Amino acid sequence: MANSNSNSTSNSGDSASQSQGSEKSFLASAQETVAGAVDATVQAVKDHPVAAAAVAAGAAAAVGGAVYAATQLGSEKESSSKK
């Protein structure tokens, strides 16, 4: 009976060390994926700089439009509450 308890305790310790190993491999895998994506993005910008500039301008316009719309919605609420 004492042996079965010690075995179950040692097995739970093994699973904890295995989960730590899988976390390290997960983080390493995620880091490699992000590094690959960054490298691909840099290469795409080098190959097509005009397209990259167009995408950046479109993203800036979208953010600017969202900010403008949010300020307009905010001002409508303030003006209707003042009336």
Side-chain angles (χ1 to χ4, degrees):
M1 287 279 180
N3 286 340
S4 65
N5 287 338
S6 65
N7 287 340
S8 65
T9 304
S10 66
N11 287 341
S12 65
D14 290 343
S15 64
S17 65
Q18 287 175 354
S19 67
Q20 288 177 349
S22 65
E23 287 178 12
K24 289 180 182 178
S25 65
F26 175 75
L27 292 175
S29 173
Q31 187 177 14
E32 290 174 5
T33 302
V34 169
V38 168
D39 290 341
T41 302
V42 168
Q43 189 60 41
V45 169
K46 288 179 181 178
D47 292 343
H48 307 286
V50 175
V55 169
V63 169
V67 169
Y68 177 76
T71 58
Q72 292 301 310
L73 288 174
S75 66
E76 287 178 11
K77 288 180 183 177
E78 289 175 9
S79 63
S80 64
S81 64
K82 289 180 182 178
K83 289 183 180 180

